[in-house]
Amino acid sequence: MGRIVAIIGRPNVGKSTLFNRITETRDAIVDEVAGVTRDRHYGKGEWCGKEFTLIDTGGFSFGSDDVFEDEIRNQVTIAMEEADILLFVVDVTMGITDLDEAVADLARRARKPVFLVVNKVDNNERIHEAAVFYGLGLGELYCISSINGSGTGELLDDLTKLIPDEVEQADDEGIPKIAVVGRPNVGKSSFVNALLGKERNIVTPIAGTTRDTIHTRYQAFGHDFYLVDTAGLRKKGKVHDDIEFYSVMRTVKAIENCDICILMLDAKDGIESQDINILWLALKNHRGVVIVVNKWDTVEKDTHSTKKFTEHILDKIAPFKDVPIIFTSVTEKQRLLKAIETAMMVYENRKRTIQTRHLNDVLLPIILDNPPPATKGKYLKVKYITQLKLGYPSFVFFCNLPQYFKDPYRRFLENQLRKHFNFHGVPLAIYFRQK
Ligand code: GDP
Ligand code: GDP
């Protein structure tokens, strides 16, 4: 079981409101990536220490008042194939509509857990009205009000029971899993084909069946890794290629299934908000990142071009700046191996563990010299630091008053970690806990 949760249902039942309720508080607290746009329809949720990726399918429909049933059907079908858990939202004030029936028909056939969420149950009387939805044949009802938040706790309690624990499973033979992600047409599939050779491009789609993300094993030039299949790899024979929603689902899923993301950009376009959204999701999922600026052959260059381009990107993705940027041309076969080698290096950085003793010897004197600012007349004190045993670098700072440690100081500590240990390309998780 993975961690991708999709919200499905017809328009106006409250999908976006629910999406915002589940993701917003958390995003507001931890969203340090400045360029992330508000109009993205995927976000991170967290409940009782479990993290998941939430997708609002409704966000992808145009002119939501007269969406065609076909379009909804398509989205629900894709969500059912690609997500791990479905939240099917209905509206208590409207009863069961034809479109609800249509979605329920599909949902009943999903071989995935479906939570039937009756929304707009803002008061107790409406709980009685909710009972009609048992008629959809999807089992238990979750009566909630996305507007006032009632009932969402119970829903999240049961939802997160299905989400795996944070500790990552022993990963396949320790072989890095690399996903090439990015907007359409930046050159992802050309890149993969150039690496794998043309014959490996022949992928047989199994019509009408649920497939899991495919990892292609690649061994050459002393490297051994998996490439994670994304939309670009399955161009042929797929019906939903042109749907933005499908491409986003595949991206989310690829990020979920990899250790390292190669985020590919088109040199002609620079870095755009969609790219930053993908980067944001990779970082939130604690994945390593390499930024690859492809089609470098199409740009007129002088001696400062790479430097200027690099600065521009780093500026846009601040404050996360500790990331390698490689300039490639797939058509001219420039630096393709370098991109892979860099991904392998980031993989090693992501696995790095620092001995507790060493960590404290290095950081405690720095903290003594640069103590956290006193807050509300209280002195803040870090006592010691340990690294958690997770699949990605995560550090706990034990201190007297964790609630008073704010973002700027967190960033200071992160920078110190980066300065003294090599975490190039890797997001760091930093927690404060009481001791
Ligand atoms: P979507 O099209 O399914 O994403 O629906 P929206 O989230 O845009 O919500 C549609 C309308 O229902 C908006 O006017 C919301 O304010 C309203 N709405 C959403 N959740 C609730 C709720 O729990 N109670 C009430 N009374 N209204 C809600
Ligand atoms: P994807 O949608 O990200 O998988 O992109 P494709 O691999 O399908 O590439 C889109 C287009 O860009 C194709 O016409 C490629 O031939 C072209 N392309 C890919 N890489 C390069 C490159 O490095 N330079 C140039 N000039 N074109 C490229």
Side-chain angles (χ1 to χ4, degrees):
M1 176 66 66
R3 312 159 184 276
I4 302 177
V5 181
I7 306 179
I8 59 172
R10 61 177 181 81
N12 287 319
V13 292
K15 294 186 298 301
S16 306
T17 312
L18 178 61
F19 174 84
N20 289 337
R21 174 159 289 278
I22 297 178
T23 58
E24 216 150 56
T25 29
R26 178 180 160 78
D27 285 2
I29 297 163
V30 289
D31 229 348
E32 66 285 356
V33 183
V36 170
T37 49
R38 272 287 145 222
D39 65 348
R40 90 195 122 77
H41 306 298
Y42 46 91
K44 294 290 285 185
E46 187 200 349
W47 188 255
C48 298
K50 301 245 191 119
E51 292 183 7
F52 52 93
T53 300
L54 190 67
I55 297 176
D56 174 16
T57 59
F60 292 89
S61 43
F62 322 103
S64 56
D65 280 345
D66 55 306
V67 172
F68 299 108
E69 185 179 329
D70 273 357
E71 192 181 334
I72 293 175
R73 240 176 222 289
N74 250 331
Q75 290 192 347
V76 171
T77 308
I78 294 168
M80 282 183 354
E81 276 181 23
E82 307 291 338
D84 302 299
I85 300 170
L86 302 166
L87 301 183
F88 172 22
V89 183
V90 292
D91 178 346
V92 73
T93 65
M94 302 293 284
I96 297 176
T97 71
D98 289 350
L99 264 177
D100 290 335
E101 296 272 16
V103 175
D105 262 351
L106 293 168
R108 274 195 299 269
R109 277 179 270 147
R111 276 165 291 168
K112 306 266 168 91
V114 180
F115 289 84
L116 179 54
V117 179
V118 185
N119 190 33
K120 309 195 189 180
V121 183
D122 303 336
N123 55 51
N124 282 335
E125 282 114 78
R126 285 188 177 172
I127 291 183
H128 304 297
E129 293 160 34
V132 300
F133 291 100
Y134 280 111
L136 290 175
L138 283 163
E140 209 36 64
L141 308 178
Y142 290 83
C143 293
I144 68 163
S145 167
S146 297
I147 278 195
N148 70 31
S150 68
T152 50
E154 286 88 338
L155 171 64
L156 289 171
D157 280 345
D158 286 357
L159 171 73
T160 46
K161 279 181 196 145
L162 304 183
I163 306 276
D165 280 326
E166 262 315 303
V167 186
E168 294 188 354
Q169 300 91 336
D171 97 320
D172 331 67
E173 320 122 79
I175 298 168
K177 296 199 275 310
I178 301 174
V180 185
V181 295
R183 282 178 290 119
N185 284 317
V186 294
K188 298 182 297 296
S189 44
S190 308
F191 175 76
V192 170
N193 290 344
L195 284 173
L196 299 185
K198 280 275 178 276
E199 74 279 9
R200 301 297 292 275
N201 188 30
I202 302 159
V203 191
T204 338
I206 309 157
T209 57
T210 315
R211 336 158 239 91
D212 276 320
T213 306
I214 292 172
H215 301 104
T216 310
R217 181 93 170 252
Y218 178 76
Q219 279 170 302
F221 308 107
H223 296 295
D224 188 358
F225 57 89
Y226 287 102
L227 278 177
V228 180
D229 176 22
T230 56
L233 283 168
R234 313 194 139 257
K235 273 195 175 147
K236 293 186 198 100
K238 277 308 267 186
V239 274
H240 8 261
D241 276 330
D242 50 345
I243 301 174
E244 184 206 352
F245 173 57
Y246 180 67
S247 129
V248 168
M249 271 318 268
R250 293 301 293 182
T251 305
V252 168
K253 190 152 179 171
I255 291 174
E256 185 82 12
N257 283 286
C258 73
D259 306 304
I260 308 297
C261 291
I262 292 184
L263 172 59
M264 188 171 276
L265 314 177
D266 185 327
K268 290 195 301 291
D269 306 333
I271 186 159
E272 297 185 345
S273 61
Q274 277 185 67
D275 304 317
I276 294 172
N277 284 346
I278 298 175
L279 173 70
W280 175 89
L281 192 64
L283 297 179
K284 292 295 152 204
N285 278 299
H286 315 285
R287 300 312 186 225
V289 175
V290 178
I291 294 179
V292 165
V293 182
N294 189 38
K295 308 198 189 180
W296 196 233
D297 57 289
T298 63
V299 174
E300 266 193 54
K301 292 176 278 287
D302 59 40
T303 46
H304 304 296
S305 298
T306 40
K307 186 160 174 278
K308 270 192 269 177
F309 218 98
T310 301
E311 277 166 7
H312 171 72
I313 291 174
L314 293 180
D315 201 45
K316 290 266 185 165
I317 65 173
F320 180 69
K321 286 182 161 214
D322 191 13
V323 61
I325 302 176
I326 312 288
F327 295 81
T328 62
S329 166
V330 172
T331 43
E332 309 201 341
K333 296 224 186 317
Q334 279 180 330
R335 286 179 291 277
L336 306 187
L337 215 54
K338 173 92 190 276
I340 291 299
E341 276 161 4
T342 308
M344 302 298 263
M345 174 201 81
V346 170
Y347 179 79
E348 293 304 319
N349 293 346
R350 186 170 178 262
K351 278 201 313 200
R352 190 173 311 288
T353 55
I354 319 281
Q355 296 277 313
T356 306
R357 168 108 190 264
H358 188 34
L359 195 59
N360 284 277
D361 283 351
V362 171
L363 288 180
L364 285 180
I366 296 170
I367 292 171
L368 259 181
D369 283 346
N370 307 271
T375 307
K376 302 197 173 145
K378 294 186 173 33
Y379 286 101
L380 307 185
K381 190 165 163 34
V382 174
K383 298 180 178 169
Y384 67 96
I385 307 137
T386 56
Q387 179 169 5
L388 296 175
K389 287 191 177 56
L390 298 178
Y392 52 86
S394 44
F395 299 90
V396 180
F397 288 73
F398 288 97
C399 53
N400 59 341
L401 295 162
Q403 67 274 30
Y404 290 135
F405 282 77
K406 295 286 184 277
D407 252 9
Y409 200 71
R410 179 196 301 271
R411 222 165 282 155
F412 167 76
L413 294 174
E414 174 170 346
N415 290 339
Q416 293 304 318
L417 279 163
R418 292 188 183 284
K419 192 165 147 193
H420 294 277
F421 309 100
N422 185 359
F423 289 116
H424 199 38
V426 184
L428 302 182
I430 290 177
Y431 306 101
F432 298 104
R433 280 197 201 138
Q434 178 113 40
K435 193 74 193 183

